[in-house]
């Protein structure tokens, strides 16, 4: 089998992070004003701690599959199953936000999509179907598309970020007030962090597929997260200096609209097209990951053996197909809300589903470093910081998201019992 190289892995890490988060997040964050910049900066620091911790743990124990594998080893198969299922569900739930973002940006060119529910649903199903088909052709075809699209998506983001530096205006930035009257500055920062953690979900993507060199995983993870964090902060400050908060909060394409403000429609449309490419690339990467997560969980004895089944191209067919059905279901579920509400609610739920495995992963990492022959206090400290960061961000998601997410995780308990009692159960 052809080896997976550094560029492919870096593209997977960056591509899975830079998606709806980078190009749609300014619209969601506008209501928090300047405090959104602080929230995103805090999230960036926390994400780097998590990335370093993932890389270190993978060097100590190079087990593919994601954060739930370490939770299973330290806390048992029930916790492992719970975390694996939650992490796997995050993939299609998060992918639904990408589909919503694609429709949102298409509204710039086809305004009728905002009100034509039937047409937007048909386009959503077609997009999911196309990238499901690409991923069913095998991981190397999917990664080839990922490298190509990552390059295309990074170009407009980098150009915009560099150019926006010339428009930095601290007066305008600090003048961006909170649009929500009943929220304190601290809660605005915490809420911003809870939303923006979604922009870093995928930082562990390199540890999931089979057959990747350990050194490549370490370098790609840390470099990928650092590049992404810098681009996020610079571009957000640039947009907030160009567009008033109220206008930004109603934008379908914040990068495109801010470019239109400065240079007119043509370049604004180019940036909007760049946003679409970004969402498409991220959707492709997450459909790839949803198949790989289910496959690795099955190999670990956590999921039924059916998820190990491959097609003739070597793609884990059931993990990909079932995940894609969930994507479509999530899109249909959110149709009664506005596009902005659909995006925020979907990413908060997806982030919650990921943060719980992150929390257990940090706890497992702490136990690993504490129980070694010579306890490593530096890495224990990093584990604690990453753990507390994940807890705080989860709290900031709000009581409604926590309630829905908690019910979902509680329902996993009887499902675990059911899986164990089937013929293809967990041994």
């Amino acid at each position: 089998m052809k080896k997976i190289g550094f560029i492919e892995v870096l593209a997977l890490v960056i591509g899975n992070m830079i998606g709806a988060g980078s190009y749609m997040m300014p619209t969601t964050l506008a209501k928090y004003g300047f405090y959104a910049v602080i929230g995103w900066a805090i999230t960036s620091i926390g994400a780097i701690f998590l990335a370093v911790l993932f890389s270190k743990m993978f060097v100590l124990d190079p087990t593919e599959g994601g954060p739930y594998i370490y939770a299973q080893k330290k806390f048992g198969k029930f916790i492992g199953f719970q975390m694996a299922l939650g992490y796997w569900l995050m993939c299609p739930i998060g992918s639904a936000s990408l589909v919503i973002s694609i429709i949102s940006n298409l509204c710039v060119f086809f305004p009728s999509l905002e009100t034509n529910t039937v047409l937007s649903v048909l386009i959503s199903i077609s997009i999911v179907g196309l990238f499901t088909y690409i991923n069913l052709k095998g991981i190397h075809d999917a990664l080839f598309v990922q490298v190509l699209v990552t390059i295309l998506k990074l170009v407009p983001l980098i150009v915009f970020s560099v150019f926006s530096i010339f428009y930095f205006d601290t007066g305008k930035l600090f003048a961006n007030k909170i649009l929500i009257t009943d929220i304190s500055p601290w809660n605005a920062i915490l809420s911003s962090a809870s939303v923006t953690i979604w922009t870093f979900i995928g930082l562990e993507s390199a540890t999931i597929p089979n057959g990747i060199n350990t050194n490549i995983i370490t370098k790609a993870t840390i470099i990928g997260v650092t590049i992404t964090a810098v681009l996020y902060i610079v571009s957000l400050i640039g947009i907030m200096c160009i567009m008033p908060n109220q206008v930004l909060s109603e934008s379908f394409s914040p990068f495109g609209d801010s470019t239109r403000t400065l240079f007119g429609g043509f370049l604004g449309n180019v940036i909007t097209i760049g946003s679409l490419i970004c969402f498409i690339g991220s959707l492709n990467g997450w459909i790839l990951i949803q198949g790989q997560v289910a496959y690795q969980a099955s190999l670990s004895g956590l999921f039924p053996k059916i998820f190990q089944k491959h097609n003739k191209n070597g793609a884990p067919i059931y993990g990909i197909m079932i995940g894609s059905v969930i994507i479509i279901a999530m899109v249909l579920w959110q149709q009664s809300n506005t596009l902005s509400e659909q995006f925020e609610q979907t990413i908060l739920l997806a982030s919650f589903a990921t943060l719980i495995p992150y929390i257990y992963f940090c706890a497992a990492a702490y136990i690993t470093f504490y129980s070694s022959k010579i306890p490593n206090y530096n890495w224990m400290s990093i584990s604690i910081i990453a753990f507390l960061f994940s807890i705080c961000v989860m709290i900031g998601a709000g009581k409604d998201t926590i309630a829905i997410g908690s019910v979902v995780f509680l329902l996993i308990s009887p499902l675990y019992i059911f899986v164990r009692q089937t013929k293809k159960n967990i041994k």
Side-chain angles (χ1 to χ4, degrees):
M1 184 178 180
K2 182 182 175 184
K3 291 185 177 180
I4 300 173
F6 172 76
I7 296 299
E8 290 176 311
V9 180
L10 183 64
L12 182 63
V13 174
I14 294 178
N16 279 3
M17 286 189 290
I18 296 183
S22 60
Y23 281 94
M24 283 297 293
M25 196 59 69
T27 295
T28 304
L29 293 177
K31 60 187 177 183
Y32 300 117
F34 169 73
Y35 297 108
V37 178
I38 301 174
W40 212 339
I42 292 172
T43 306
S44 299
I45 296 170
I48 291 173
F49 272 100
L50 281 168
V52 170
L53 194 60
F54 267 110
S55 300
K56 180 64 175 179
M57 284 293 288
F58 195 81
V59 169
L60 294 176
D61 183 5
T63 305
E64 292 92 352
Y68 65 86
I69 292 294
Y70 301 102
Q72 175 199 350
K73 290 183 176 182
K74 296 299 180 184
F75 304 112
K77 283 199 169 183
F78 171 66
I79 294 298
F81 175 80
Q82 196 178 42
M83 296 304 100
L85 187 56
Y87 188 78
W88 179 64
L89 286 174
M90 174 276 299
C91 297
I93 293 172
S95 294
S97 74
L98 294 167
V99 177
I100 292 166
S101 299
I102 291 171
I103 299 301
S104 179
N105 274 255
L106 285 174
C107 286
V108 174
F109 303 106
F110 309 102
S112 62
L113 283 177
E114 186 182 357
T115 54
N116 193 329
T117 303
V118 174
L119 183 58
S120 66
V121 167
L122 289 175
I123 293 175
S124 298
I125 293 173
S126 300
I127 292 168
V128 174
L130 172 63
F131 286 97
T132 299
Y133 170 75
I134 289 174
N135 276 275
L136 288 174
K137 289 180 67 64
I139 188 170
H140 284 285
D141 282 10
L143 283 174
F144 171 77
V145 172
Q146 190 71 8
V147 171
L148 178 63
V149 175
T150 297
I151 293 172
L152 292 174
K153 77 164 76 171
L154 279 175
V155 169
L157 185 59
I158 292 172
V159 170
F160 180 89
S161 297
V162 171
F163 191 81
S164 66
I165 293 174
F166 297 101
Y167 289 86
F168 277 15
D169 186 327
T170 53
K172 289 183 178 179
L173 187 62
F174 285 104
N176 281 314
K177 304 296 183 182
I178 301 177
L179 298 181
I180 308 173
T181 56
D182 59 346
I183 189 171
S184 67
W186 168 246
N187 285 332
I189 293 171
L190 196 59
S191 297
S192 300
S194 298
V195 175
T196 54
I197 188 61
W198 171 246
T199 63
F200 291 101
I201 300 298
L203 61 88
E204 73 289 342
S205 296
T207 67
I208 295 173
N210 274 315
I212 304 178
N213 180 274
T214 301
N215 292 331
I216 288 177
I217 287 175
T218 301
K219 289 195 298 183
T221 299
I222 295 175
I223 293 173
V225 171
T226 303
I227 291 173
T228 302
V230 171
L231 288 175
Y232 282 159
I233 299 300
V234 173
S235 60
L236 178 65
I237 292 174
I239 286 180
M240 285 191 160
C241 289
I242 294 169
M243 296 180 67
N245 266 25
Q246 187 62 52
V247 176
L248 180 58
S249 67
E250 299 171 356
S251 174
F252 287 127
S253 176
F255 278 77
D257 287 345
S258 58
T259 304
R260 287 185 191 89
T261 300
L262 296 176
F263 305 109
F266 175 75
L267 286 179
N269 290 340
V270 171
I271 295 296
T272 300
I273 292 171
S275 303
L276 283 167
I277 293 172
C278 179
F279 304 144
I280 288 168
S282 195
L283 178 63
N284 176 68
W286 277 113
I287 291 177
L288 183 156
I289 291 298
Q290 74 190 20
Q292 293 293 320
V293 168
Y295 170 70
Q296 293 294 344
S298 181
L299 286 181
S300 303
L302 297 174
F303 278 18
K305 292 181 180 178
I306 192 174
F307 287 99
Q308 296 180 31
K309 184 175 176 59
H310 287 69
N311 63 12
K312 63 180 181 180
N313 299 313
I317 182 169
Y318 286 102
I320 292 174
M321 292 292 291
I322 295 174
S324 293
V325 171
I326 296 174
I327 296 173
I328 294 171
M330 284 295 301
V331 172
L332 293 174
W333 176 49
Q334 289 287 337
Q335 282 303 307
S336 60
N337 297 322
T338 66
L339 289 169
S340 177
E341 290 172 339
Q342 290 177 37
F343 177 75
E344 183 172 4
Q345 291 176 11
T346 304
I347 62 173
L348 281 173
L349 188 57
S351 297
F352 180 89
T354 312
L355 282 167
I356 293 183
Y358 280 3
I359 289 167
Y360 273 98
F361 163 75
C362 293
Y366 178 88
I367 293 171
T368 299
F369 299 125
Y370 177 78
S371 60
S372 60
K373 292 181 180 179
I374 302 177
N376 192 318
Y377 295 104
N378 290 332
W379 285 104
M380 286 166 60
S381 300
I382 291 174
S383 302
I384 292 172
I385 292 171
F387 177 87
L388 293 175
F389 165 75
S390 300
I391 290 286
C392 291
V393 171
M394 187 174 68
I395 292 172
K399 59 183 180 181
D400 292 338
T401 301
I402 293 174
I404 294 173
S406 298
V407 169
V408 171
F409 273 89
L410 286 173
L411 291 175
I412 291 175
S413 300
L415 182 60
Y416 175 75
I417 297 171
F418 171 77
V419 171
R420 286 188 64 89
Q421 291 178 342
T422 60
K423 290 183 179 180
K424 296 179 179 180
N425 64 343
I426 300 171
K427 301 296 183 184

